[in-house]
């Protein structure tokens, strides 16, 4: 990520190695302290992590996209090996982001006299936001969902909250429980929420900073998602509603269904927080979202017939405007369907949409629907805000559209599947409600794979075998990968 402008205003994507050489140099001035903070975001932007690949992995494990070229090996078939490069890259990138965040927290704390108290707190809040994001994605990739055990006591990931030097034995930690990781994520986000800004100011491009760095709205929105995954629907609704009410700034859906995607559309009121890319700093040809998704790129990922067919995606009406975001390829690809959410093939500049306002609305709608005793009118209203933008001939929902709250919840989950398609949500949305993956096609688009049930061993990634070996068995492997 990049912070544009003068040498004092670097972007999250442009941190030079010389800024990270020594603590004395990296934290010697207020400008360098801020640059070290922004370097933590650069860890999230890693090609194997949140700038594209991680979002793809979450969707490939579900049923709505197909790996038509076999580029992602056995991941879509739930058959990775313990030495999988995919798993190793996610693990390394996530913990690199955590290490950068921890290092910056230590450096800011040791050099706080060079900053105002408010600035020091704000920068530490950004680091905790980054650490929370990395831990949340890592625990969902490498551990079973929160509700896999009644008390979330099952194995999670190592919890690293200190800054360690290279090969420090103190960093060789066993896996904390999933519950402990969620507690840490919630703690970091809650602290961050208190000290992060609503918007950034004092930069040549304030809106860019506001959409790509931690803000109160981003922290509150992510807290809503974390609580939703945890099954704490009261808090999920609370933190989503704080954003919806405008407590942390103004957000709204764009008029067009594609209004948050493509060059020029990344900094609108629909974007809460994204990982930015540009022509000079992007995940490269083998990792960028447009390269994988676009028929003008590598076209590895086609949309599954399961997603397109009303019989297997019943909330996706035939005249839903979001079907205009689906195109056919050309030539040999003319019979295949692709998304147009990511189109900057030449520059690989598509931003990774980590949190959009549409998700916040749907988080609230689901949480409110689940906590209400009957069919909740406010949940229906928030669901309609998202659905009405895309519907054509279908009537708007009313409370009378649903016989009971379970029908409303199903409609919210169905809307979530369509609206957030290809943005890295589907598989984890299925897992958090203990659903199975059904109607999943193999890469040929013809052969159906067996149903993949909730709790299956290979729904999660293996702990990289190299990490287990380096830890001298302090780390324990996930079942099914021994």
């Amino acid at each position: 990520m990049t912070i544009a402008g003068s040498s004092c205003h670097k972007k999250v994507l442009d941190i030079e190695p010389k800024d990270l050489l020594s603590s004395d140099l990296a934290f010697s001035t207020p400008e360098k302290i801020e640059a070290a903070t922004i370097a933590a975001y650069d860890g999230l932007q890693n090609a194997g992590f949140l700038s594209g690949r991680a979002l793809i992995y979450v969707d490939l494990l579900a049923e709505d996209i197909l790996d038509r070229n076999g580029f992602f090996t056995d991941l879509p078939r739930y058959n990775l090996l313990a030495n999988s490069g995919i798993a190793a890259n996610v693990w390394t990138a996530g913990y690199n982001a955590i290490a950068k965040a921890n290092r910056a927290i230590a450096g800011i704390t040791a050099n706080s006299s060079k900053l105002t108290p408010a600035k020091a707190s704000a920068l530490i809040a950004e680091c905790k936001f980054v650490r929370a994001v990395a831990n949340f994605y890592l625990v969902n990739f490498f551990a079973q969902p929160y509700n896999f055990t009644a008390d979330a006591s099952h194995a999670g990931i190592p919890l690293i909250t200190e800054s360690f030097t290279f090969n420090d034995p103190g960093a060789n930690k066993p896996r904390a429980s999933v519950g402990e990781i969620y507690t840490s994520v919630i703690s970091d986000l809650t602290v961050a929420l208190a000290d992060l800004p609503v918007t950034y100011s004092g930069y040549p491009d304030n809106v860019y900073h506001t959409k790509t760095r931690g803000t109160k709205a981003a922290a509150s929105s992510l807290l809503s998602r974390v609580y939703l995954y945890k099954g704490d629907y009261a808090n999920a609704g609370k933190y989503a509603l704080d954003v919806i009410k405008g407590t942390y700034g103004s957000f709204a859906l764009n008029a067009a269904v594609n209004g948050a995607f493509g060059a020029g559309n990344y900094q609108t009121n629909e974007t809460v927080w994204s990982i930015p890319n540009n022509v000079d700093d992007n995940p490269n040809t083998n990792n960028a979202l447009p390269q994988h998704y676009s028929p003008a790129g590598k076209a590895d990922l086609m949309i599954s017939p399961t997603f397109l067919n009303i019989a297997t995606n019943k909330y996706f009406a035939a005249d839903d405007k979001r079907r205009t975001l689906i195109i056919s390829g050309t030539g040999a690809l003319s019979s295949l369907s692709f998304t147009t959410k990511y189109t900057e093939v030449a520059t690989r500049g598509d931003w990774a949409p980590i949190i959009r306002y549409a998700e916040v609305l749907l988080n609230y709608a689901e949480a409110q629907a689940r906590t209400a005793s009957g069919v909740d009118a406010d949940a229906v209203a928030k669901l309609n805000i998202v659905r009405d933008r895309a519907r054509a001939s279908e009537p708007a929902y009313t409370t009378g559209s649903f016989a009971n709250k379970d029908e409303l919840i199903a409609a919210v989950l169905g809307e979530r599947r369509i609206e957030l398609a290809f943005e890295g949500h589907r598989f984890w949305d299925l897992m958090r409600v203990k659903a199975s993956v059904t109607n999943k096609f193999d890469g040929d688009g013809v052969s159906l794979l067996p149903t993949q049930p909730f709790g299956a061993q290979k729904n999660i990634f293996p702990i990289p075998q190299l990490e287990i070996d380096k830890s001298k068995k302090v780390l324990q492997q996930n079942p099914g990968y021994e």
Side-chain angles (χ1 to χ4, degrees):
M1 291 170 71
T2 348
I3 294 181
S6 70
S7 61
C8 296
H9 290 146
K10 295 186 178 181
K11 288 197 174 178
V12 184
L13 306 177
D14 291 342
I15 303 303
E16 296 294 332
K18 65 176 181 291
D19 292 318
L20 307 176
L21 289 177
S22 72
S23 57
D24 288 342
L25 178 60
F27 301 98
S28 59
T29 66
E31 293 78 16
K32 288 191 174 183
I33 293 172
E34 183 165 4
T37 301
I38 292 166
Y41 293 98
D42 195 49
L44 297 179
Q45 196 231 6
N46 182 283
F49 206 39
L50 294 189
S51 64
R53 278 294 188 88
L55 309 189
I56 289 171
Y57 299 153
V58 180
D59 284 326
L60 267 178
L61 288 166
E63 76 276 46
D64 290 339
I65 58 172
L66 308 179
D67 178 17
R68 53 176 293 273
N69 290 328
F71 185 88
F72 296 94
T73 65
D74 281 331
L75 183 148
R77 300 187 186 99
Y78 313 99
N79 199 29
L80 292 180
L81 300 177
N83 63 353
S84 162
I86 287 174
N89 288 340
V90 171
W91 180 279
T92 301
Y95 277 107
N96 181 51
I98 290 170
K100 288 182 175 183
N102 287 340
R103 181 176 181 275
I105 290 171
I108 295 164
T109 302
N111 294 275
S112 59
S113 62
K114 298 170 184 174
L115 304 165
T116 66
K119 185 65 173 179
S121 295
L123 292 178
I124 289 174
E126 287 193 76
C127 296
K128 290 190 173 184
F129 175 78
V130 169
R131 186 169 70 187
V133 170
N135 273 320
F136 178 71
Y137 276 85
L138 286 171
V139 77
N140 280 284
F141 274 120
F142 291 96
Q144 293 287 356
Y146 187 91
N147 59 2
F148 181 69
T149 55
D151 57 358
S153 60
H154 53 290
I157 57 173
L159 181 58
I160 310 295
T161 58
E162 306 167 65
S163 180
F164 293 101
T165 56
F166 183 70
N167 280 340
D168 187 326
N172 188 19
K173 295 184 179 295
R175 298 170 70 176
S177 71
V178 167
E180 289 170 325
I181 298 300
Y182 269 72
T183 296
S184 177
V185 169
I186 289 168
S187 175
D188 276 349
L189 288 175
T190 303
V191 171
L193 178 60
D195 292 327
L196 286 170
V198 172
T199 59
Y200 287 84
S201 60
Y203 301 93
D205 46 4
N206 293 325
V207 176
Y208 177 97
H209 285 257
T210 301
K211 299 301 183 181
T212 61
R213 295 171 70 176
T215 60
K216 288 185 183 297
S220 192
S221 299
L222 189 56
L223 273 167
S224 175
R225 188 194 300 181
V226 173
Y227 278 118
L228 201 66
Y229 278 42
K230 188 179 178 183
D232 182 344
Y233 299 116
N235 273 314
K238 173 197 178 305
Y239 285 102
L241 187 59
D242 284 344
V243 177
I244 293 167
K245 291 190 304 184
T247 305
Y248 305 127
S250 178
F251 296 92
L253 298 185
N254 297 317
V257 292
N258 65 344
F261 300 94
N265 295 326
Y266 304 128
Q267 300 182 43
T268 70
N269 284 342
E270 187 166 340
T271 294
V272 178
W273 182 62
S274 292
I275 300 290
N277 295 298
N278 60 55
V279 66
D280 297 315
D281 197 335
N282 60 69
N284 71 49
T285 301
N286 283 329
N287 295 279
L289 288 167
Q291 286 289 339
H292 288 303
Y293 272 112
S294 174
K298 295 172 61 189
D300 296 309
L301 303 173
M302 61 175 277
I303 299 175
S304 171
T306 298
F307 182 77
L308 300 171
N309 193 331
I310 294 178
T312 48
N313 191 4
K314 72 175 186 177
Y315 297 97
F316 200 14
D319 59 358
D320 189 304
K321 294 174 185 176
R322 288 167 295 200
R323 288 187 180 268
T324 64
L325 304 184
I326 298 169
I327 61 171
S328 298
T330 59
L333 305 178
S334 61
S335 63
L336 308 180
S337 297
F338 299 89
T339 181
T340 58
K341 283 189 172 181
Y342 312 108
T343 58
E344 293 195 61
V345 175
T347 63
R348 301 175 292 281
D350 289 274
W351 288 21
I354 308 300
I355 305 173
R356 283 197 296 122
Y357 185 58
E359 181 201 347
V360 180
L361 290 165
L362 294 173
N363 288 354
Y364 176 78
E366 182 181 345
Q368 187 70 4
R370 289 185 184 277
T371 54
S373 57
V375 177
D376 185 80
D378 200 20
V380 174
K382 299 304 187 290
L383 171 59
N384 273 336
I385 293 174
V386 179
R387 181 173 177 265
D388 284 355
R389 176 171 69 169
R391 69 180 178 86
S393 63
E394 294 289 317
Y397 287 137
T398 67
T399 54
S401 302
F402 309 101
N404 51 55
K405 63 184 287 183
D406 289 339
E407 285 192 3
L408 173 56
I409 292 167
V412 175
L413 292 172
E415 186 66 24
R416 190 178 182 94
R417 177 184 182 184
I418 301 162
E419 176 64 30
L420 303 179
F422 325 124
E423 297 177 43
H425 292 271
R426 178 61 178 165
F427 184 70
W428 291 346
D429 276 341
L430 289 171
M431 294 301 102
R432 67 179 174 83
V433 299
K434 296 188 175 182
S436 298
V437 180
T438 60
N439 301 303
K440 180 180 175 70
F441 284 91
D442 206 354
D444 59 7
V446 176
S447 309
L448 278 172
L449 295 171
T451 294
Q452 186 73 3
F454 169 82
Q457 291 181 338
K458 293 200 171 181
N459 285 351
I460 58 177
F461 286 3
I463 304 299
Q465 189 60 48
L466 180 61
E467 298 296 329
I468 291 176
D469 295 342
K470 284 164 52 180
S471 77
K472 301 186 186 302
K473 308 299 182 181
V474 169
L475 284 176
Q476 297 297 307
Q477 184 57 277
N478 282 322
Y481 292 105
E482 298 95 338

